[in-house]
């Protein structure tokens, strides 16, 4: 998984976690590869399970609005994180693709 070198604000991290979690759950199955990739992400971004609970308290729409405000470079890093997460189980499900494309359209990534 490629980890961005950019600094993300707490609100941005919350939104990223919220939307990444949605991608993990999109196919209805929590694969061990996704769990491992998410643990790696947690370590790299320095947050714990309490932060995940807080991030999941925001709505998907709130997360998208936060990410819409990010600069293009951060958005590209976010997109790469989503792609890496979707691939982490060895198979990219069509529901994951649809969700990622939806996020891209909503936050202005081509």
């Amino acid at each position: 998984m490629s980890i961005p070198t950019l600094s993300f604000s707490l609100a941005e991290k919350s939104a990223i976690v919220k939307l990444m979690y949605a991608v993990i759950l999109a196919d209805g199955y929590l694969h061990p590869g996704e769990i491992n990739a998410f643990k790696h992400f947690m370590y790299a971004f320095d947050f714990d399970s309490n932060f995940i609970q807080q991030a999941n308290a925001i709505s998907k729409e709130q997360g998208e609005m936060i990410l819409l405000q990010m600069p293009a470079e951060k958005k590209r890093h976010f997109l790469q994180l989503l792609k890496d997460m979707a691939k982490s189980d060895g198979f990219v499900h069509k529901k994951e693709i649809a969700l990622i494309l939806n996020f891209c359209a909503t936050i202005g990534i081509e």
Side-chain angles (χ1 to χ4, degrees), residues 19-102:
L19 300 182
M20 283 184 73
Y21 209 67
V23 169
I24 290 171
L25 299 176
D27 61 3
Y29 179 72
L30 187 58
H31 189 275
E34 292 169 326
I35 294 169
N36 288 336
F38 198 76
K39 284 180 182 177
H40 180 72
F41 173 72
M42 286 174 62
Y43 176 77
F45 274 70
D46 192 29
F47 65 88
D48 59 16
S49 58
N50 291 329
F51 185 78
I52 296 169
Q53 290 176 338
Q54 292 171 356
N56 278 324
I58 66 172
S59 71
K60 180 175 83 66
E61 292 77 18
Q62 286 174 306
E64 291 170 340
M65 291 308 298
I66 292 167
L67 297 181
L68 179 62
Q69 304 303 314
M70 289 192 316
E73 187 177 8
K74 284 185 176 183
K75 290 178 184 181
R76 285 190 298 273
H77 282 296
F78 167 67
L79 175 58
Q80 187 59 52
L81 287 170
L82 289 181
K83 289 178 182 178
D84 290 347
M85 188 58 66
K87 292 187 289 187
S88 66
D89 62 0
F91 175 75
V92 180
H93 194 279
K94 65 182 177 181
K95 289 182 180 180
E96 293 170 330
I97 293 169
L99 190 57
I100 291 170
L101 290 174
N102 183 4

